[in-house]
Amino acid sequence: MDSNNDGIGDLQGIISKLDYLNNGNHDSLGIDAIWFSPFFESPDYDYGYDISNYREIDPRYGKFSDFMQLLEEAHKRNIKVIVDLVVNHTSHLHPWFLESRSSRFSPKRGWYIWKDGQGKKNRPPNNWRNHFFGPAWTWDEKTEQYYLHSFLSEQPDLNWSNPEVREAVGDVIRYWLDFGVDGFRLDVAHHYSKDPIMRNNPLFFTGWKDSLVKVLLDRTFLAGLMKLFALPTMQIGKYNQHQPETHEILKGFRSIFNEYPGTTSVGEIMGDNAELIASYYGSSNDELHMNFYFEILHLRWKAAAFRRCIERWEKALPSGSWPANALSNHDIMRAVSRYNNKRGDKRARLLMLMLLTLRGTPFIYYGEEIAMKEAKLSREELRDPVGLKWYPLHKGRDGCRTPMQWNGGKYAGFSKSEPWLPVGPDIKSYNVREMESDLQSLLSFTKKLIWMRKGLPALLEGEYKSLIDKASGRHCYYYLRETGDQKLLICLNFSLRRQEIYMPGRNAVGRVLISTLYDRDLKPAITNPFVLEGLEGCILKLQTGK
Ligand code: NOJ
């Protein structure tokens, strides 16, 4: 929300909408925390993910006092504040890098990764490529060395093997925790450490058989991350990602968080397999509090694909650890559009039901609650460097970053001036004002479900167990969430046809607490078999005999 009508969302704009997020009553969304993408000073080559000052708010978003007010107002409403920790790299305009770059003898030279060129042709030190386009090395004329950047050349990588860097970042973490921030999302944490002898990465093609088998088995498709991250690099990040020292760094972070009880961290750690990613929770839960499992963002619309994916993740997680679940974010096509077809709305409700009933913390991307769709932007409208480089092969990430749709007006109620990105499609029907008065809308469903969830211990902290039934397992994904005295069965029918579901136990009796279809009669007691309509999802409360 833009409060000063310059076309860019800002902190005062967010403050004015906190009551929408949680005013303590059931007419608000009822969320408990906000993860903010970075609002620190940045020249914006990668939209805030290139920070030039970790301790200041970028003036476009407001003043430091606005941030303090936001923190206070959020806390008043029991909303926790999570900020983005982007410390694999800084901006090339960060004073640390400016100093590092100024001379080979600068005291900060070793804060970044500088290397000589190779051979007569002065080629880059190795074959590493950055995730957006081209080599991961940029030649610096002045000091005649290459520096490393896993993303844009305007995002030089910090040298995490340098203890001074670890200390400086630790200070940044403490700085925000001292102000009362509740936690951090850790940007690309699997990239922090690099192979000490900087070996060449194997080419993607050498592993193509493995990749293909995996893609087929997992039923993922070559969209999203594959395009965004693998296609531009065409190599396997064997030596510039997931190095063992990463665990040490995360343990260091965790010990800082432990000094501030009640704080948390959620990692953006991507990788090939669930075990690898789960390892960043630490062998004794002493690293990340949570990590996203990105595979769930790349599944086909198949009940079994979702079931298998969650089972894999649940199995890989060390005991006592806590998942983070998201179906959309600022880097990938919005889920409603990924699964778009004429049944979009029904699918959106099914996804929301799943998101809010899986074990762990659900992350709703702004606008997901109003089924905001991906915008199709022309090349002229794009801002994201990825889109600008790869258009039309890949249109970048702007399509999921368009202004929040508060109403059906010209700029969707986001701003009175033309916003920095155009508004998305269908804003007349998909906006907060329209949908909050419609009891059958996704927004009303989401509010109801979030508030209902708060009163169901089995959803908040219960065990997860998926059930498989030969007859309906292809079409339905269903799982139990259970505490000592509460047993819930969540059933999601991914198909268009009616499906019969069997509650566990021959004489099981249940009651439907909520359905994605607003016309289901919730009164009758349910016995086996329970019939789910096409694309219907339900929470059944099972009688436990107590
Ligand atoms: C991951 C972030 O989510 C993405 O938006 C950003 O471009 C890269 N990290 C680089 O910081």
Side-chain angles (χ1 to χ4, degrees):
M1 179 71 187
D2 174 17
S3 72
N4 60 356
N5 294 312
D6 62 357
I8 299 172
D10 49 49
L11 300 184
Q12 282 299 335
I14 298 170
I15 294 172
S16 72
K17 292 296 184 185
L18 286 174
D19 277 339
Y20 163 78
L21 296 177
N22 194 348
N23 65 7
N25 296 319
H26 292 210
D27 61 346
S28 66
L29 208 48
I31 61 152
D32 310 298
I34 314 177
W35 150 31
F36 291 95
S37 41
F39 43 54
F40 312 104
E41 271 181 14
S42 161
D44 248 8
Y45 284 82
D46 185 19
Y47 289 87
Y49 283 93
D50 49 322
I51 295 172
S52 52
N53 186 345
Y54 287 108
R55 293 168 191 246
E56 279 299 341
I57 308 297
D58 194 289
R60 285 165 304 169
Y61 307 132
K63 298 204 255 329
F64 205 90
S65 54
D66 296 317
F67 174 72
M68 291 309 291
Q69 189 188 342
L70 170 59
L71 201 59
E72 194 185 323
E73 292 295 327
H75 285 166
K76 260 191 217 159
R77 293 165 177 79
N78 290 323
I79 300 176
K80 304 228 180 213
V81 170
I82 312 282
V83 297
D84 219 312
L85 187 69
V86 187
V87 291
N88 170 67
H89 43 268
T90 67
S91 155
H92 68 312
L93 300 182
H94 193 291
W96 295 344
F97 188 68
L98 294 178
E99 200 180 328
S100 181
R101 173 174 223 177
S102 65
S103 143
R104 284 198 186 201
F105 307 103
S106 143
K108 294 229 165 35
R109 189 66 170 179
W111 283 40
Y112 293 83
I113 301 167
W114 293 95
K115 289 271 174 236
D116 292 332
Q118 279 194 83
K120 280 202 198 107
K121 290 200 177 143
N122 197 28
R123 288 192 317 273
N126 64 20
N127 74 348
W128 296 357
R129 295 179 65 79
N130 75 61
H131 281 297
F132 290 163
F133 37 82
W137 298 96
T138 287
W139 178 249
D140 181 58
E141 283 297 343
K142 187 170 168 217
T143 57
E144 299 193 312
Q145 274 190 317
Y146 280 99
Y147 66 87
L148 181 73
H149 51 92
S150 300
F151 295 87
L152 298 174
S153 58
E154 291 83 5
Q155 295 168 296
D157 280 26
L158 281 163
N159 178 6
W160 276 92
S161 64
N162 184 334
E164 288 175 11
V165 167
R166 295 190 189 194
E167 205 183 311
V169 171
D171 289 347
V172 169
I173 296 178
R174 284 204 174 82
Y175 175 81
W176 289 104
L177 292 176
D178 284 339
F179 280 115
V181 153
D182 302 289
F184 294 87
R185 175 259 189 191
L186 274 51
D187 190 63
V188 291
H190 50 301
H191 261 288
Y192 293 168
S193 285
K194 319 289 189 286
D195 177 38
I197 53 168
M198 304 246 154
R199 278 165 280 190
N200 279 337
N201 274 333
L203 295 183
F204 184 62
F205 301 107
T206 51
W208 73 272
K209 272 191 200 148
D210 275 0
S211 311
L212 191 67
V213 169
K214 201 173 293 156
V215 164
L216 294 176
L217 281 182
D218 292 0
R219 292 167 179 256
T220 54
F221 52 91
L222 277 167
L225 285 194
M226 285 298 274
K227 260 195 191 157
L228 181 59
F229 289 117
L231 191 124
T233 65
M234 284 300 193
Q235 58 183 223
I236 298 164
K238 184 165 178 193
Y239 295 114
N240 60 346
Q241 303 176 22
H242 296 291
Q243 299 302 300
E245 293 73 29
T246 315
H247 294 286
E248 241 177 68
I249 299 170
L250 295 178
K251 283 197 177 87
F253 286 1
R254 182 63 178 259
S255 63
I256 302 180
F257 296 136
N258 290 346
E259 293 167 25
Y260 297 80
T263 56
T264 195
S265 56
V266 53
E268 185 206 29
I269 293 196
M270 305 173 190
D272 284 348
N273 63 70
E275 289 71 29
L276 174 67
I277 306 168
S279 71
Y280 293 99
Y281 279 78
S283 46
S284 42
N285 275 317
D286 51 356
E287 296 183 28
L288 292 171
H289 294 83
M290 296 178 272
N291 191 48
F292 291 114
Y293 186 45
F294 284 90
E295 198 183 309
I296 199 172
L297 295 162
H298 300 281
L299 301 175
R300 289 210 227 150
W301 186 259
K302 295 266 184 238
F306 281 91
R307 176 176 54 71
R308 276 202 291 261
C309 173
I310 297 299
E311 276 173 0
R312 224 173 358 249
W313 186 222
E314 283 283 351
K315 190 165 160 234
L317 281 170
S319 81
S321 53
W322 190 247
N325 300 310
L327 297 173
S328 287
N329 67 32
H330 62 289
D331 288 330
I332 182 172
M333 182 185 277
R334 285 178 176 272
V336 274
S337 303
R338 284 205 310 277
Y339 298 116
N340 193 23
N341 63 14
K342 292 198 188 82
R343 288 120 203 157
D345 281 7
K346 284 191 180 166
R347 287 185 173 192
R349 297 160 83 91
L350 206 67
L351 290 171
M352 190 58 85
L353 182 63
M354 179 172 71
L355 183 63
L356 289 167
T357 55
L358 286 173
R359 192 173 77 85
T361 297
F363 285 70
I364 299 176
Y365 185 48
Y366 82 90
E368 199 170 354
E369 75 280 21
I370 53 166
M372 251 174 84
K373 300 202 180 73
E374 186 81 3
K376 292 198 176 75
L377 304 178
S378 68
R379 196 179 187 288
E380 291 63 46
E381 290 167 331
L382 295 185
R383 302 276 189 150
D384 178 20
V386 178
L388 289 169
K389 172 72 187 181
W390 290 97
Y391 192 90
L393 188 65
H394 189 292
K395 295 187 179 146
R397 301 164 294 177
D398 292 319
C400 65
R401 298 175 177 184
T402 55
M404 175 67 185
Q405 294 162 195
W406 297 108
N407 63 41
K410 189 166 176 209
Y411 299 131
F414 169 79
S415 178
K416 293 206 173 82
S417 322
E418 188 174 355
W420 71 291
L421 282 176
V423 296
D426 299 343
I427 63 164
K428 290 271 176 266
S429 332
Y430 294 92
N431 68 69
V432 172
R433 188 184 292 162
E434 194 68 28
M435 293 169 81
E436 66 191 354
S437 52
D438 174 0
L439 293 179
Q440 297 172 1
S441 69
L442 177 67
L443 180 58
S444 303
F445 175 74
T446 307
K447 286 180 185 172
K448 195 167 160 192
L449 188 53
I450 291 180
W451 285 99
M452 177 181 277
R453 189 180 189 274
K454 293 181 199 287
L456 293 171
L459 283 190
L460 294 178
E461 61 207 27
E463 300 285 312
Y464 164 94
K465 188 173 166 219
S466 47
L467 302 176
I468 309 172
D469 176 306
K470 276 199 196 108
S472 56
R474 262 187 65 213
H475 305 293
C476 298
Y477 171 29
Y478 52 113
Y479 44 92
L480 283 174
R481 297 294 316 281
E482 207 174 335
T483 48
D485 47 11
Q486 191 171 72
K487 201 170 190 176
L488 303 176
L489 178 67
I490 291 79
C491 358
L492 309 166
N493 182 0
F494 279 67
S495 77
L496 293 177
R497 300 225 183 96
R498 287 182 162 188
Q499 302 291 340
E500 285 185 349
I501 288 279
Y502 284 85
M503 298 173 281
R506 213 167 355 131
N507 301 320
V509 180
R511 200 167 70 77
V512 180
L513 297 184
I514 190 169
S515 161
T516 57
L517 303 185
Y518 48 82
D519 47 4
R520 171 171 287 277
D521 182 2
L522 303 185
K523 281 185 219 95
I526 306 289
T527 49
N528 278 328
F530 169 56
V531 179
L532 273 176
E533 297 298 325
L535 289 178
E536 183 182 15
C538 284
I539 302 182
L540 292 180
K541 187 169 182 198
L542 305 185
Q543 244 172 38
T544 54
K546 284 185 193 164

